[in-house]
Amino acid sequence: MIYLDNAATTPMDPQVIEVVKESMERDFANSGAVYKIGLDAKRRVEKASDEIAEALRLPSYYRIIFTSGGSESNNLFIKGTCFPDKKTACLGLEHPSVTSTLDYFKEFGNPPLILRNFQEAGRLNPTAVPALQENRIRLLCLSHVNNELGSVNGSQQFQAILKEGSSQTRLFLDGVQAVGKLKLDRSFWETVSGYSISGHKINGPKGIGLLAYDSRLPLAPQIHGGKQQFGVRSGTLPVPLILGLAESVKRAAINTEETQAHLKKLFRHLITGLHDLSDRVPHLQVRINSSSSQDINLQSPAIVNFSFPPVEGEVLLHHLEEKEIYVGLGSACSSHSKESSKILTGIGLTEEEARCSLRISFSRQNSLKEIDTFLEEFARAYQSLYPTFSKQTEIK
Amino acid sequence: MTEPRIILVRYDEIGLKGKNRRYFENCLRDNIRKKLSGVKIDGLRMPRGRIMIETDQSVVGECVERLRLVPGIASLSVGVFVSHDFDAIAEVGIGWIVPRLRDAGTLKFCVRTHRAFKLFPQTSPEINFEVGSRIMRRLSTEGLVVNIKKAEFVLEVEVRQEGAVVFNNRIPGLRGLPVGSSGEVLTLLSGGIDSPAAAHRLICRGCRSHFIFFDNRPFLGRGGFDKVLRIAKVLNKLQTMGRLYVVPFSDMQVAIRDRCRASHRIVLYRRMMYRIAHVVARKNNYLGLVTGESLGQVASQTLENLAAVSCVVSISVFRPLIGTDKLEIINQAKKIGTYEISIEPQPDCCSVFMPPNPVTRGKIPELEFDEEKFPWQTLMEDALQKMEVIKLDVQEA
């Protein structure tokens, strides 16, 4: 099996499984209980939290709230800081857990400002900053790494421009695709107010994630109850999952440079390979939708999105599935509708180009040899499907 | 402690049959036996017009749940068996009424008797009176009143030669005829809303339905197949012993897509589906094909196009939904529990195979002309060779 859909989810690291398993057997006590075994569980959660803060180089005024994952973290921060009447903005190319949350504000007469006109290959252009100032935007929500394209937003240069041009605007980044791929250092956090992370995107367990945020900001709870986690997110803490998350964050953070170097190699190899195929395979015209840039401030090397009209991405995906090669759709249909997402058309692709696309997303477990196998099978499937898709003109 | 119970099974339609009645009754009895296998039953008798199952309170709920899914059963009642003694009958009624009376404070009730044993000395109204007055004597001071028209609690007594069955419930069954009494058919199942509803109608008319699914993997994923398998299993619960035939169809679709007029595609696909289903049906002695077509619902379901597909097979094609509208079909699918599965988003037909303007009045000579452009016989043999057969009763590991 060749798994190239790591932006969707990742296999769990065996060592993380070990940590979770051990904790499941040992830490059954409620971490809110006042007896010894409860206090032990609590201490382990605190240690995990400290380790995560250290691995991410979070400043001391940052607080970590454990959640069920990226979607909950995004909902918690956006609603918790801005609901119902504070002005928000986004690029319109974010994950639905950001865009749908912002859309929900519409029902309360507070629609978000969509900055689609200021996008450039999936990135927000700093020329948008005056518009943020004019519209008195309090929170700008962006994907740190776009989940379909891999484009990077919220770089330190951008943060500086934002701070200068619209000082009342805070920046929230959805970081689920970024951790372990982009280096986060102390200075990165200076103008960021909130950041989401999901366990299962970094070889950790599903059902656990976190929100890291500037604790000087008031954050209204979205789940009320026993007042766990500073009263911001009630609910008994899933100790084993938290320890698993901490282990995966640590591993991702420690190995970031090494991972980056490896991913860059895979990234270059795939892009070169796709260009070669375009030269070699009759009719095949690959268009790389992600940026080919090697600059980590512009493009994550973990994601390559490309189009190859007229063959449909979904059909190609299933042909690759027959060979046990698993890839993502370039323009993901959500599990609840057939309609494809708006990210690719949002950066200017035609409907056909969006439909005829795939997303390859790597992890550090992938090898160059796997990319070669993928390229070979992709070319084979394309050639066998091309005649069927090329006859779009009717046979009368 | 054992608490014996009697389940009274009624089957009004079979009861109307003439000389063949015994055949249908035996069929129903066998289906009930099969359905209840694994549940402890103390006896099963067939007095005229009824099937009576003797069992115990501890398993009676399980029995009822299973019997509700047996076509041919009009209704069921769970009761207890007592002697012809009015005191004993009244005692059972009192036992059931007291707790309700305690909760509600007051209760309107009546007794209804069905006198199957015609030689019983008292008439039905007399029995009603005898039993009712005994109960009233005991409970009238506690709020029990007789009200025949607006009774909240109906105590029913069925007097039989060997004793009386007392009960207070009637659980509706699926009605229709027992499965197997009419023979076997093959339903073309797509994963949509209509075809399961069509199969259900035939099953309730005594057919055992098998299913055939045309799979266009690898153009689409396994999702369509998974959906059809789940739907087939839901339907098979009504009948048992059904099969699902899975026919790989993408090569055929590609050939039609690549070589024939786009507007003819859908009708040509359907002609091939009918042909393949026909071969499967003939080989297995199935007596008809069943489809979920409803007149005029989509382009392929006009009178002309229905004729253009039916004419390729020499077997009965049943379209039980032909005169129904979508809303009726949806309601039926909801009732049988396939609707929720059918509406799960799963592309059931790849857009690459769909023409922009499908023909609404296909002309048979033109379709035949198109069919000369691809080797359909070879492709059909190939598809039948690669066909997979799934026995729906077998539980997956």
Side-chain angles (χ1 to χ4, degrees), chain A residues 259-276:
Chain A
T259 307
Q260 242 179 42
H262 182 62
L263 295 180
K264 277 184 176 170
K265 247 189 279 171
L266 299 173
F267 184 84
R268 272 197 304 268
H269 195 68
L270 177 60
I271 290 184
T272 321
L274 287 170
H275 284 315
D276 283 353

Side-chain angles (χ1 to χ4, degrees), chain A residues 394-396, chain B residues 256-257 259-271 300 305 308-309 353-371 373-374:
Chain A
E394 291 227 354
I395 305 169
K396 295 286 179 195
Chain B
I256 293 172
R257 163 79 172 72
R259 313 216 186 142
C260 306
R261 267 170 287 193
S263 58
H264 278 172
R265 263 182 229 156
I266 294 179
V267 183
L268 291 170
Y269 300 150
R270 294 195 72 79
R271 279 163 70 96
S300 63
N305 284 348
V309 292
F353 293 130
M354 285 297 122
N357 300 305
V359 68
T360 49
R361 296 171 206 286
K363 305 223 170 27
I364 293 168
E366 288 179 12
L367 293 164
E368 284 169 349
F369 176 75
D370 267 4
E371 278 172 349
K373 296 183 197 157
F374 68 102

Side-chain angles (χ1 to χ4, degrees), chain A residues 306-375:
Chain A
F306 58 99
S307 297
F308 38 85
V311 175
E312 267 181 40
E314 188 173 355
V315 174
L316 217 131
L317 176 147
H318 290 305
H319 277 72
L320 291 168
E321 177 191 356
E322 298 271 293
K323 308 283 176 200
E324 297 201 343
I325 300 174
Y326 299 97
V327 299
L329 282 180
S331 189
C333 306
S334 88
S335 54
H336 296 287
S337 87
K338 283 186 198 174
E339 208 180 306
S340 55
S341 89
K342 299 276 178 274
I343 297 182
L344 293 188
T345 48
I347 62 160
L349 268 70
T350 63
E351 283 286 344
E352 191 195 21
E353 285 169 326
R355 204 173 56 242
C356 302
S357 63
L358 287 178
R359 175 189 68 181
I360 302 297
S361 47
F362 309 118
S363 76
R364 51 178 188 262
Q365 282 82 18
N366 291 125
S367 66
L368 292 173
K369 195 162 160 276
E370 287 179 326
I371 308 299
D372 287 333
T373 313
F374 162 76
L375 286 165

Side-chain angles (χ1 to χ4, degrees), chain A residues 112-368:
Chain A
L113 176 68
I114 308 288
L115 302 163
R116 188 76 55 81
N117 293 341
F118 296 97
Q119 76 83 24
E120 210 176 294
R123 279 176 294 275
L124 182 61
N125 194 304
T127 53
V129 170
L132 296 172
Q133 172 74 13
E134 259 166 54
N135 289 283
R136 309 171 66 81
I137 298 298
R138 298 293 291 274
L139 188 68
L140 170 63
C141 305
L142 297 171
S143 298
H144 194 189
V145 169
N146 184 285
N147 59 312
E148 287 187 12
L149 291 163
S151 45
V152 176
N153 264 303
S155 66
Q156 268 162 274
Q157 295 92 307
F158 177 81
Q159 288 184 32
I161 300 167
L162 182 67
K163 201 172 176 182
E164 183 83 3
S166 183
S167 57
Q168 89 289 356
T169 306
R170 296 185 176 278
L171 180 63
F172 171 65
L173 293 178
D174 173 357
V176 300
Q177 302 290 355
V179 176
K181 283 106 190 172
L182 305 191
K183 195 99 192 133
L184 304 175
D185 52 28
R186 285 245 189 263
S187 56
F188 171 80
W189 300 103
E190 271 165 27
T191 36
V192 178
S193 297
Y195 198 83
S196 326
I197 292 175
S198 167
H200 74 99
K201 306 280 193 196
I202 46 172
N203 307 95
K206 291 179 178 58
I208 187 78
L210 65 84
L211 169 70
Y213 77 104
D214 182 340
S215 63
R216 296 169 301 191
L217 282 174
L219 182 66
Q222 302 303 308
I223 295 179
H224 300 266
K227 296 224 176 339
Q228 287 88 344
Q229 307 202 61
F230 317 100
V232 169
R233 203 276 192 182
S234 289
T236 300
L237 294 171
V239 183
L241 295 181
I242 291 172
L243 303 198
L245 175 67
E247 184 66 24
S248 43
V249 170
K250 273 192 291 178
R251 289 177 165 275
I254 292 167
N255 298 318
T256 300
E257 270 171 35
E258 204 182 296
T259 307
Q260 242 179 42
H262 182 62
L263 295 180
K264 277 184 176 170
K265 247 189 279 171
L266 299 173
F267 184 84
R268 272 197 304 268
H269 195 68
L270 177 60
I271 290 184
T272 321
L274 287 170
H275 284 315
D276 283 353
L277 289 185
S278 286
D279 295 340
R280 200 151 49 76
V281 176
H283 313 293
L284 176 63
Q285 284 300 322
V286 173
R287 178 203 150 119
I288 310 284
N289 303 321
S290 304
S291 158
S292 307
S293 168
Q294 303 276 342
D295 184 352
I296 202 84
N297 288 315
L298 296 175
Q299 172 69 31
S300 159
I303 297 177
V304 179
N305 189 315
F306 58 99
S307 297
F308 38 85
V311 175
E312 267 181 40
E314 188 173 355
V315 174
L316 217 131
L317 176 147
H318 290 305
H319 277 72
L320 291 168
E321 177 191 356
E322 298 271 293
K323 308 283 176 200
E324 297 201 343
I325 300 174
Y326 299 97
V327 299
L329 282 180
S331 189
C333 306
S334 88
S335 54
H336 296 287
S337 87
K338 283 186 198 174
E339 208 180 306
S340 55
S341 89
K342 299 276 178 274
I343 297 182
L344 293 188
T345 48
I347 62 160
L349 268 70
T350 63
E351 283 286 344
E352 191 195 21
E353 285 169 326
R355 204 173 56 242
C356 302
S357 63
L358 287 178
R359 175 189 68 181
I360 302 297
S361 47
F362 309 118
S363 76
R364 51 178 188 262
Q365 282 82 18
N366 291 125
S367 66
L368 292 173

Side-chain angles (χ1 to χ4, degrees), chain B residues 116-298:
Chain B
F117 175 46
K118 300 296 178 199
L119 298 176
F120 193 76
Q122 278 86 0
T123 63
S124 295
E126 284 167 355
I127 300 170
N128 292 345
F129 175 76
E130 290 295 338
V131 175
S133 57
R134 279 171 171 77
I135 294 174
M136 282 305 284
R137 220 171 292 153
R138 188 91 68 82
L139 297 175
S140 61
T141 53
E142 291 176 41
L144 190 68
V145 282
V146 176
N147 190 330
I148 293 170
K149 287 211 172 121
K150 289 181 181 165
E152 296 157 326
F153 183 92
V154 181
L155 186 71
E156 296 198 66
V157 182
E158 186 156 313
V159 180
R160 313 203 66 92
Q161 187 168 4
E162 62 282 10
V165 182
V166 187
F167 55 93
N168 72 329
N169 53 72
R170 275 174 190 256
I171 302 148
L174 282 177
R175 316 186 76 91
L177 296 173
V179 167
S181 61
S182 308
E184 298 185 287
V185 293
L186 183 63
T187 304
L188 282 73
L189 214 53
S190 67
I193 298 165
D194 302 357
S195 45
H200 180 256
R201 294 209 173 186
L202 270 287
I203 291 170
C204 286
R205 294 313 298 164
C207 294
R208 170 163 290 113
S209 176
H210 303 278
F211 308 98
I212 187 163
F213 170 61
F214 296 91
D215 192 352
N216 52 16
R217 267 181 284 176
F219 275 77
L220 295 176
R222 214 189 62 186
F225 163 72
D226 284 351
K227 218 165 118 171
V228 164
L229 180 62
R230 277 159 62 211
I231 290 173
K233 288 204 167 189
V234 169
L235 292 166
N236 190 53
K237 274 195 199 150
L238 307 173
Q239 56 169 21
T240 69
M241 288 166 57
R243 291 174 177 191
L244 171 65
Y245 298 89
V246 182
V247 184
F249 201 59
S250 64
D251 289 349
M252 185 78 76
Q253 279 186 300
V254 168
I256 293 172
R257 163 79 172 72
D258 290 356
R259 313 216 186 142
C260 306
R261 267 170 287 193
S263 58
H264 278 172
R265 263 182 229 156
I266 294 179
V267 183
L268 291 170
Y269 300 150
R270 294 195 72 79
R271 279 163 70 96
M272 290 316 303
M273 291 177 186
Y274 272 57
R275 285 190 178 110
I276 293 171
H278 185 205
V279 174
V280 174
R282 212 173 36 205
K283 208 183 268 172
N284 294 284
N285 289 325
Y286 304 152
L287 300 177
L289 304 182
V290 183
T291 74
E293 286 149 333
S294 155
L295 187 59
Q297 198 185 85
V298 292

